[in-house]
Amino acid sequence: MSHVHTVPVNIEKVVDAGPISIRGKTYLNMWALVFLGIFTFSYGLLFGDAGTTWGAFFVNAVYFQGLALGGVMTCVIMQIVRAQWGAPIRRLAEANVAYLPVAFCAFLTTYFGREYLFFWGREPMPGREFWMQPGFVYFRFSVLFFVLFFLMARFVGLSLRGDVGLARDRAKNKSNWDLPIHHYLLKDWKGAEREVLPLQRKMSYAAPVIVFTYAVTVSLFSFEMIMGQNPTWYSNLFGAFIFVSQIYIGWAGLALMSMYFSRKKPALGELITTQQFWDLGKLNFGFCMLWGYMFWSQFLTQWYGNLPEETQWLILRTREFPWKGLAWIVFPMAFIIPFISLLSRDLKKNRVTYAAICFVLMTGVWLDRYLLIMPEISPTTIPLGFTEIGIFLGFLGAYLLCIRNFLSKYPCVAVSHPLTHGSKEW
């Protein structure tokens, strides 16, 4: 898709610059958001409406898990298609893997709110009594998520081994690459000349497996734990709609991280140009169209099919107050505004306008998750107050902390990747 040449990387300069560091005040603010989220979640369970509190927790657990998975998938996609333009931003995409343990814990936590969140958490699911037993549901998704997260962590680990090994070999100040995690990654290290190409080939073999596992796991999760909130509604496209939307926000999140960290780290900022934002914008535009296609295909077939078990779900969200108004906000924010804006090459290349588009579409997809989940818990009111906002900020703080901790340990650029040397022989 891209006509850009390989971005030249001064490996010694990147290695000597060390990892990305974030000021202590910012670090404390992230922890403050996490504690705010824990406090508001606890307060909502003890003194508020437990159902809507669990609903807010589930919305954000699904959204931020999707953001992290989508972020890692952007890196997997770049590996498969050998995106030459992506060399400077691969590490930022890989950083999303650090949130996956938190996502796994958040998923397991929802077990304690299953009676509020899921129909099958309260009573047997008609026609699927055995398959949708709560213990069995959580057991199989624990296994599926563990396998998916493990494959993604191994994929990123292979990349980090090559980068940390090369950094230690070439660094003047080796103290930046002397943490316990570095020693673990470099066990039996044989040198960059012998290891980098085999590592890249392993990543290339692993990438299609990750794509398949991701599509299957996220689709099943969407069918059984989001669509499964309602005992009758069903859509064959729903799984694809969810995993496409995760990659959609993954590209937007990667663009925002590239803008932010390129300003914080001069060695990275020199490598990230308008070309990277143009290519990210084109990918955002492509997934915007795919998101709109999935959305419209589900809506059109169900509405004109006029089956009561399907239209009932749609009517609650698109024809009845108070959710009707929110539905008319979601579609423009997640599709119409990004679609029209991303048609422009200049808007994609401009950091300010592209950042605004990314914020709009990521907010639109968050509201979409809210519209999918919350009406099943609160059909007559939109519960959006202090508790719900606090829980969102808590998840945001946890996500940012994970990204920060990851980037503070590893080279800010994938320095061992062949594309940083102008090579395609891997």
Side-chain angles (χ1 to χ4, degrees), residues 16 33 38 45 71 79 81 91 103 113 121-122 124 132 141 157 182 186 218 282 294 333 384 401 404 417:
D16 291 336
L33 291 178
I38 294 172
L45 292 180
Q79 183 74 16
V81 302
R91 180 55 25 82
R122 299 184 294 272
M132 298 302 291
F141 279 112
H182 299 150
L186 296 181
V218 175
K282 287 186 285 185
M294 295 289 184
M333 292 186 70
L384 193 59
L401 267 177
R404 179 262 180 199
H417 198 284

Side-chain angles (χ1 to χ4, degrees), residues 10-80:
N10 186 327
I11 296 174
E12 282 71 22
K13 186 174 183 178
V14 172
V15 168
D16 291 336
I20 296 174
S21 60
I22 299 177
R23 292 182 301 174
K25 184 178 179 181
T26 304
Y27 183 61
L28 292 176
N29 289 338
M30 293 176 185
W31 273 112
L33 291 178
V34 173
F35 285 119
L36 174 63
I38 294 172
F39 171 77
T40 53
F41 178 61
S42 303
Y43 180 87
L45 292 180
L46 294 174
F47 304 105
D49 186 322
T52 57
T53 300
W54 276 112
F57 183 91
F58 188 52
V59 168
N60 288 288
V62 170
Y63 180 81
F64 283 97
Q65 174 183 277
L67 178 60
L69 288 174
V72 177
M73 287 304 299
T74 63
C75 185
V76 173
I77 292 170
M78 285 190 275
Q79 183 74 16
I80 292 173

Side-chain angles (χ1 to χ4, degrees), residues 6 43-44 60 112 181 222 236 239 290 349 355-356 365 371 373 394 423:
T6 303
Y43 180 87
N60 288 288
F112 301 101
I181 186 62
S222 305
N236 288 319
L290 192 54
K349 287 188 173 183
V365 174
L371 188 62
I373 293 169
S423 171

Side-chain angles (χ1 to χ4, degrees), residues 221-235:
F221 177 80
S222 305
F223 288 139
E224 298 181 3
M225 298 199 74
I226 301 178
M227 192 165 64
Q229 287 185 289
N230 188 292
T232 58
W233 180 67
Y234 190 82
S235 168

Side-chain angles (χ1 to χ4, degrees), residues 122-423:
R122 299 184 294 272
E123 54 187 284
M125 193 76 156
R128 290 174 281 174
E129 292 83 1
F130 172 75
W131 184 252
M132 298 302 291
Q133 292 182 50
F136 187 32
V137 171
Y138 276 89
F139 170 76
R140 66 174 176 270
F141 279 112
S142 295
V143 173
L144 287 171
F145 279 133
F146 178 83
V147 171
L148 176 61
F149 295 173
F150 172 79
L151 290 174
M152 287 184 165
R154 181 178 178 274
F155 176 86
V156 174
L158 292 171
S159 174
L160 294 176
R161 177 178 171 87
D163 291 345
V164 175
L166 184 62
R168 278 183 61 86
D169 290 346
R170 297 202 184 184
K172 297 175 183 177
N173 178 12
K174 299 187 184 298
S175 61
N176 286 329
W177 319 112
D178 200 34
L179 296 174
I181 186 62
H182 299 150
H183 292 288
Y184 172 77
L185 286 169
L186 296 181
K187 184 179 180 181
D188 300 325
W189 174 252
K190 300 179 181 64
E193 294 77 11
R194 296 179 61 185
E195 291 228 12
V196 167
L197 287 180
L199 287 172
Q200 288 298 323
R201 292 189 180 112
K202 288 180 181 178
M203 292 173 65
S204 296
Y205 292 140
V209 178
I210 293 174
V211 171
F212 175 79
T213 308
Y214 167 77
V216 171
T217 301
V218 175
S219 294
L220 289 175
F221 177 80
S222 305
F223 288 139
E224 298 181 3
M225 298 199 74
I226 301 178
M227 192 165 64
Q229 287 185 289
N230 188 292
T232 58
W233 180 67
Y234 190 82
S235 168
N236 288 319
L237 276 174
F238 190 69
F241 173 74
I242 294 296
F243 73 66
V244 163
S245 66
Q246 291 181 170
I247 303 175
Y248 181 31
I249 59 175
W251 291 118
L254 178 56
L256 292 176
M257 284 197 289
S258 300
M259 295 173 199
Y260 178 79
F261 289 114
S262 64
R263 294 183 182 276
K264 294 295 181 180
K265 192 72 173 177
L268 178 62
E270 293 175 4
L271 303 174
I272 297 178
T273 67
T274 55
Q275 184 65 56
Q276 275 71 44
F277 297 120
W278 186 21
D279 283 310
L280 283 169
K282 287 186 285 185
L283 285 161
N284 257 151
F285 179 69
F287 276 84
C288 175
M289 291 191 292
L290 192 54
W291 185 93
Y293 168 77
M294 295 289 184
F295 181 96
W296 184 248
S297 296
Q298 291 180 98
F299 179 85
L300 190 67
T301 54
Q302 292 185 18
W303 190 255
Y304 281 97
N306 200 29
L307 301 176
E309 63 271 18
E310 295 180 354
T311 55
Q312 169 270 333
W313 187 92
L314 288 172
I315 288 171
L316 174 62
R317 289 161 174 80
T318 62
R319 294 282 179 169
E320 295 182 358
F321 289 103
W323 296 102
K324 175 182 178 180
L326 183 60
W328 285 99
I329 295 173
V330 168
F331 191 68
M333 292 186 70
F335 177 71
I336 296 176
I337 295 174
F339 178 82
I340 294 173
S341 302
L342 292 173
L343 285 169
S344 167
R345 179 176 63 179
D346 293 334
L347 291 183
K348 292 194 285 282
K349 287 188 173 183
N350 184 287
R351 293 181 182 228
V352 175
T353 54
Y354 186 28
I357 295 167
C358 290
F359 275 118
V360 169
L361 72 88
M362 292 177 77
T363 303
V365 174
W366 185 90
L367 290 173
D368 175 65
R369 296 292 184 271
Y370 193 81
L371 188 62
L372 289 173
I373 293 169
M374 289 302 290
E376 295 298 328
I377 300 169
S378 177
T380 59
T381 59
I382 298 180
L384 193 59
F386 170 75
T387 301
E388 288 74 22
I389 294 172
I391 292 172
F392 167 78
L393 292 175
F395 272 93
L396 177 63
Y399 176 78
L400 296 176
L401 267 177
C402 293
I403 298 294
R404 179 262 180 199
N405 289 336
F406 181 94
L407 293 176
S408 67
K409 295 182 177 68
Y410 307 110
C412 60
V413 177
V415 290
S416 70
H417 198 284
L419 289 178
T420 63
H421 313 282
S423 171

